[in-house]
Amino acid sequence: MTTDPIADYLTRLRNAIMAHKKVVEVPASGLKKDITRILYDKGYILNYKTEEDGKQGLIKIALKYGPDRRSAIQELKRVSTPGLRQYTDASRLPRVLNGLGVAIISTSRGVITDKEARTLGVGGEVICYVS
């Protein structure tokens, strides 16, 4: 059993991308659903759906590849871990690839991107970087 379910989620995505899988299944949670929604909204994945399995449920994620078999997701990096939480305020929100990537932030307004957090003027826990 993993002590960091978000790191497990990101690793499953990374491994599926390296194996050129079309679909990956991950155990569901509220935070994972929010991260998946952001990946879909920003165009990093084709689609996703949640399924109930009698336990915590599953998220099925359809991965997105270009014509040259390159994934839309080039890098997934976990920032804040259970052993070392990384928080930032609104004035020091990170920029990923000078604005080309996305930082996913857990704020008092929900799980949002760094750009949305800048607009709202809120800080929070930096969950991961996607580029």
Side-chain angles (χ1 to χ4, degrees), residues 6-130:
I6 302 305
D8 178 64
Y9 168 84
L10 297 176
T11 299
R12 285 177 191 236
L13 284 177
R14 256 186 250 112
N15 290 343
I17 289 166
M18 289 191 325
H20 295 286
K21 298 280 186 187
K22 292 189 185 304
V23 177
V24 61
E25 292 182 1
V26 294
S29 75
L31 183 57
K32 291 178 194 175
K33 288 176 187 175
D34 290 339
I35 294 170
T36 305
R37 176 188 45 82
I38 290 173
L39 292 176
Y40 176 72
D41 290 345
K42 296 300 174 186
Y44 287 107
I45 59 175
L46 278 177
N47 209 342
Y48 70 97
K49 69 177 180 177
T50 57
E51 291 183 356
E52 295 305 318
D53 66 351
K55 294 178 240 148
Q56 65 188 40
L58 289 172
I59 305 172
K60 286 189 175 185
I61 302 170
L63 299 172
K64 186 177 192 177
Y65 298 96
D68 57 351
R69 290 187 50 159
R70 287 189 55 185
S71 171
I73 299 172
Q74 294 301 309
E75 184 180 16
L76 286 168
K77 183 178 179 201
R78 179 75 159 124
V79 179
S80 184
T81 63
L84 182 61
R85 300 287 186 191
Q86 298 291 326
Y87 295 96
T88 185
D89 59 9
S91 63
R92 292 187 286 141
L93 286 165
R95 291 175 58 89
V96 181
L97 285 180
N98 206 18
L100 296 176
V102 174
I104 298 177
I105 317 280
S106 177
T107 69
S108 58
R109 305 263 180 104
V111 179
I112 57 177
T113 65
D114 56 326
K115 293 174 183 114
E116 293 166 343
R118 254 185 229 98
T119 304
L120 294 172
V122 296
E125 182 182 357
V126 182
I127 298 171
C128 64
Y129 297 149
V130 184

